[in-house]
Amino acid sequence: MVHVTAPRKRLFHDEHFRWGRRRMQHEYFVLMRARSQHHPLLAWNQSGSAFRKARPVAVSEPVKLRLGEPVPAKPIMADFHSLPAPVVSSRLKEVLEAADLRGVQFIPADVEVGDAVHRYWLVHMWREIRCVDREHSDFEDSETGLFMLLLDRLVLDEAVLREIPLEERLAFALEEHVVYLFHRTVVERVLAMTPPPEGLRFIPVAEWGASSAFR
């Protein structure tokens, strides 16, 4: 079913919500790929089932990835690519690692690009937090209600997040939908890189939606 807001009945409530509980909406950002046809998507070149579970993964060798469809005619490898899990360059990995992100594991990944193999790092964000404010977000739920088929507008449940120490939620994945969130302090570290990182962008939660990939 689609969650629909009734504007007239909730006008006062929404106004109170907008002014009184919007702080975390501006503290978190959604990590997305840059709007470029030259930065390829990535795909598994082996089984990736172990990384779909919300727990750390033991690995003894780099995971194997390849370019995903559609493959650009002249692919440009950047600092960030989407698996859709984040896959980052070594220099971006160093910045993220220095932020001491709890619940995040950096897995070496070999990306096959033509005859070459590039070393990247899969950012396995195994900490998932169920924190979508279902009253104020717009989404299409699954039949079970365990996950969302579509998330058009995201509002974070700040009551849930306040119960978790900040150092435990600097970066996490939504449990309800495939969305990767980073706190503004981490975003500031990344955007301060010289030269600036290529292939990514951070969208404030308050501005993010299902159509963000096309804007």
Side-chain angles (χ1 to χ4, degrees), residues 36-150:
S36 173
Q37 301 300 318
H38 301 292
H39 299 152
L41 296 166
L42 298 183
W44 288 99
N45 216 9
Q46 63 172 67
S47 173
S49 59
F51 294 90
R52 299 187 183 101
K53 300 174 183 178
R55 62 190 184 202
V57 176
V59 295
S60 57
E61 59 184 22
V63 296
K64 294 178 173 57
L65 306 177
R66 58 179 174 80
L67 301 188
E69 298 293 338
V71 178
K74 295 181 179 180
I76 297 175
M77 301 306 291
D79 291 297
F80 170 83
H81 295 274
S82 174
L83 190 54
V87 179
V88 302
S89 65
S90 293
R91 77 186 193 103
L92 180 49
K93 175 249 187 185
E94 291 177 1
V95 172
L96 294 174
E97 205 167 35
D100 190 23
L101 305 179
R102 315 284 175 84
V104 175
Q105 186 179 10
F106 297 93
I107 307 293
D110 285 343
V111 183
E112 184 178 304
V113 184
D115 295 330
V117 175
H118 298 255
R119 171 56 54 86
Y120 273 79
W121 297 85
L122 169 62
V123 185
H124 178 41
M125 299 175 66
W126 57 266
R127 171 157 297 159
E128 298 179 351
I129 300 179
R130 194 171 187 83
C131 62
V132 174
D133 185 330
R134 298 175 74 89
E135 182 179 357
H136 296 94
S137 300
D138 294 327
F139 59 90
E140 181 180 347
D141 222 347
S142 63
E143 292 185 3
T144 63
L146 296 177
F147 62 92
M148 297 173 177
L149 301 175
L150 184 67

Side-chain angles (χ1 to χ4, degrees), residues 91 190-197:
R91 77 186 193 103
V190 173
L191 297 183
M193 292 173 60
T194 305

Side-chain angles (χ1 to χ4, degrees), residues 6-20:
R8 290 186 178 179
K9 293 181 180 179
R10 293 177 44 205
L11 180 60
F12 174 79
H13 181 72
D14 281 355
E15 192 68 19
H16 173 75
F17 169 80
R18 189 178 299 115
W19 290 103

